[in-house]
Amino acid sequence: MRNPLFRHAGGFSCLILAGLLALPGAGLAQGKPKPTDIYMYKGADRDQRVLEGARKEGTVALYTSLNLKDSVPITEAFEKKYGVKVSLWRASSEKVVQRALTEARAGRFTPDVFETNGPEMDIFYREKLLDEFYSPAFRDLPPAAFPKHRHWVADRFNFFVLGYNTNLVKPDEVPNSYADLLKPRWAGKVGLEASDVDWFGSVVKGMGEKEGLAYFRKLAESRPQLRTGHTLISELLASGEIPLAATVYNHNVERLVKRGAPVRWKPLEPTFGRPNGIGVAKHAPHPHAALLFTDFMLSREGQELIKSRNRVPSSNAVESTLNKFKYEMIEPATVLDESEKWEKLWSELFLKGQKIKKEEE
């Protein structure tokens, strides 16, 4: 049965700003400005206005699914730099959505900023909880970081790549394509994360549905090893229990490389990524602070902090080998609107019709 969390009536809408905002300071000079006026202002004094307003507001409420060992150092750096307190609430992406929707339907608007997985950010967009915004950091972001409606933007990526154990896979044996995974030598030896349905659907569509499904039927016949959890899959690679895996996150492998583990990663085309996005709340109690924090997360300084946590930054201003290859983003619609189709096919191919167990965040 389809997850009710992903059922949404109502189509997409686009917020069109009035011509007033074309004039410097318009909408900001008289009375209390609307959040939209603050978010889209591009005047020469924009950064000064945002900072002064944020310091007057004094705090910013952040709802995120980024784990505490990574999110706390980032919020502490923000507080130290700007003197604005961060009220941090961290939970799984599904629980972030549930809490925000429950509060909004009760007329309570607590969060100023949302930061979580792309599909969940699109739920906020569909539920009209986000507002379009502008940041000077946009100039450093790739086109793939922006959804068409531009009500949130990717601040980090999770890329699905091939991972392999260098003690078990010789350099000349490393697969160069998805087709190479079908070679007889890899029968029963390829690892897959058991809940990567969005990757599966995206690769099938990328190959062309007929050809893609034919490919995955052959892969299923080769008896791949399925495990739940991307961190676990990477650890099994390092221990040698699995010689190679088709759906590891490259940042997880890179963490193990730094610890001296005999593992490496390689992108296979088409390479897909899960965007993790950030956006400002339409009804933010602290709109200046919301924008200041979002600017910080997307700035070079914030993106360097994301990189330092062994995450994949979205900004081109930050040098990282983890995003220097050709890639595409998984469309939120693959998760929100087509989940029943892809979950059914995945389960039939790889799980013998069993229910998919989601990875814990």
Side-chain angles (χ1 to χ4, degrees):
M1 183 177 180
R2 190 174 183 184
N3 188 334
L5 182 61
F6 293 154
R7 291 179 182 168
H8 297 276
F12 293 86
S13 62
C14 181
L15 181 63
I16 303 175
L17 296 173
L20 287 172
L21 293 181
L23 299 173
L28 296 176
Q30 298 179 358
K32 185 178 180 180
K34 298 177 182 179
T36 297
D37 299 338
I38 298 166
Y39 295 155
M40 295 301 294
Y41 182 59
K42 300 179 183 179
D45 60 346
R46 183 257 187 203
D47 292 353
Q48 179 184 349
R49 284 179 178 270
V50 171
L51 177 59
E52 290 177 352
R55 284 177 170 164
K56 287 179 181 178
E57 291 165 353
T59 188
V60 58
L62 169 66
Y63 282 16
T64 183
S65 60
L66 183 61
N67 62 52
L68 292 176
K69 67 182 177 63
D70 293 337
S71 57
V72 169
I74 293 173
T75 56
E76 286 178 343
F78 171 82
E79 291 175 338
K80 183 177 180 180
K81 181 172 184 175
Y82 295 113
V84 177
K85 177 69 176 176
V86 179
S87 176
L88 172 66
W89 189 77
R90 190 271 165 192
S92 69
S93 57
E94 184 170 329
K95 289 182 179 179
V96 168
V97 170
Q98 289 173 342
R99 175 168 174 164
L101 294 188
T102 299
E103 290 179 341
R105 288 164 184 168
R108 298 196 308 274
F109 299 102
T110 302
D112 298 300
V113 178
F114 297 106
E115 200 276 352
T116 189
N117 298 340
E120 283 77 5
M121 292 299 294
D122 240 48
I123 291 175
F124 293 141
Y125 164 69
R126 295 183 184 197
E127 292 289 334
K128 298 180 171 35
L129 295 183
L130 296 177
D131 218 341
E132 190 174 0
F133 68 99
Y134 162 77
S135 173
F138 284 178
R139 63 177 176 267
D140 295 322
L141 300 179
F146 298 90
K148 292 178 182 178
H149 51 72
R150 298 179 73 91
H151 277 60
W152 58 268
V153 62
D155 60 340
R156 51 193 174 95
F157 296 132
N158 290 334
F159 286 117
F160 295 95
V161 298
L162 175 77
Y164 60 95
N165 185 298
T166 56
N167 291 336
L168 301 175
V169 182
K170 299 176 182 178
D172 60 347
E173 295 176 341
V174 178
N176 292 308
S177 66
Y178 286 111
D180 286 346
L181 298 176
L182 302 178
K183 290 181 177 180
R185 69 157 57 102
W186 303 126
K189 299 179 179 178
V190 176
L192 294 175
E193 204 286 325
S195 64
D196 281 339
V197 177
D198 53 348
W199 167 81
F200 162 64
S202 298
V203 174
V204 169
K205 291 195 288 186
M207 292 180 173
E209 190 160 329
K210 182 178 178 180
E211 295 80 2
L213 287 175
Y215 167 79
F216 276 100
R217 289 189 184 100
K218 292 178 181 178
L219 184 62
E221 290 171 0
S222 71
R223 308 182 313 280
Q225 298 190 40
L226 274 78
R227 301 288 190 278
T228 300
H230 291 93
T231 300
L232 175 62
I233 287 279
S234 298
E235 291 171 348
L236 293 176
L237 280 177
S239 69
E241 185 171 331
I242 298 176
L244 75 167
T247 59
V248 294
Y249 288 157
N250 61 352
H251 66 269
N252 282 344
V253 177
E254 201 65 26
R255 285 176 177 171
L256 294 170
V257 170
K258 292 180 179 179
R259 297 175 191 169
V263 289
R264 294 293 186 274
W265 61 270
K266 179 178 183 178
L268 299 179
E269 291 189 8
T271 301
F272 284 93
R274 281 177 177 157
N276 292 268
I278 190 168
V280 291
K282 189 179 186 71
H283 304 286
H286 314 102
H288 292 92
L291 193 55
L292 184 67
F293 184 81
T294 303
D295 279 351
F296 178 75
M297 285 289 285
L298 297 174
S299 70
R300 180 164 190 154
E301 182 178 355
Q303 292 285 291
E304 288 285 1
L305 284 169
I306 288 174
K307 176 184 173 181
S308 72
R309 308 309 303 175
N310 289 307
R311 299 279 180 170
V312 185
S314 61
S315 176
N316 291 327
V318 176
E319 187 63 33
S320 173
T321 58
L322 297 176
N323 60 11
K324 294 295 186 287
F325 48 84
K326 183 180 178 181
Y327 60 82
E328 301 174 51
M329 287 292 103
I330 291 174
E331 290 287 337
T334 301
V335 181
L336 301 181
D337 304 324
E338 304 169 13
S339 59
E340 284 187 22
K341 171 183 176 178
W342 298 117
E343 286 179 6
K344 184 175 185 295
L345 287 167
W346 176 265
S347 178
E348 290 173 351
L349 285 170
F350 297 107
L351 302 177
K352 298 181 180 180
Q354 296 178 14
K355 184 179 179 180
I356 297 169
K357 182 181 179 181
K358 300 293 185 180
E359 178 182 21
E360 292 185 6
E361 298 177 49

